[in-house]
Amino acid sequence: MPEPMPEAKSALSRVPVEITISVGRAHPTVSELLTLKRDAVLVLDRGVSDPAELYAGDRLIGRGQLEEIDGEGSGRLAVRLTEVTETDSPS
């Protein structure tokens, strides 16, 4: 496959990518889902101190710890990266 033109590489590098942060999974039965009401609690398969996982599409790209932002943007969540997974190098 031919190498992309420098302009194409530059344009691609500016394309935004959505990152999904996963803090855990719950495994309720269908019956339990049907009875959920406001203030119901779903127990996750991870603890509070366990790392969150970062995904680009369905690919795991890293792990990190959730943090609350101080100052401007106070009260918002952020993720401090603690691990970046290996990426596949092009051949």
Side-chain angles (χ1 to χ4, degrees):
M1 180 179 262
E3 193 64 25
M5 303 285 289
E7 309 85 51
K9 282 185 175 180
S10 177
L12 285 175
S13 70
R14 293 189 304 270
V15 173
V17 176
E18 183 172 300
I19 304 297
T20 301
I21 312 301
S22 174
V23 296
R25 290 182 170 79
H27 302 278
T29 64
V30 171
S31 175
E32 291 168 332
L33 278 177
L34 293 172
T35 62
L36 287 178
K37 302 244 184 295
R38 181 185 170 114
D39 294 326
V41 175
L42 288 173
V43 178
L44 302 178
D45 60 356
R46 295 201 198 140
V48 172
S49 62
D50 290 341
E53 295 178 332
L54 289 78
Y55 290 90
D58 62 354
R59 181 176 293 245
L60 177 67
I61 61 168
R63 291 183 177 84
Q65 291 301 131
L66 292 177
E67 295 188 358
E68 185 176 352
I69 299 295
D70 294 327
E72 190 175 326
S74 181
R76 297 192 64 190
L77 286 175
V79 178
R80 180 177 302 277
L81 291 179
T82 57
E83 176 186 343
V84 176
T85 59
E86 293 295 317
T87 57
D88 296 339
S89 316
S91 330

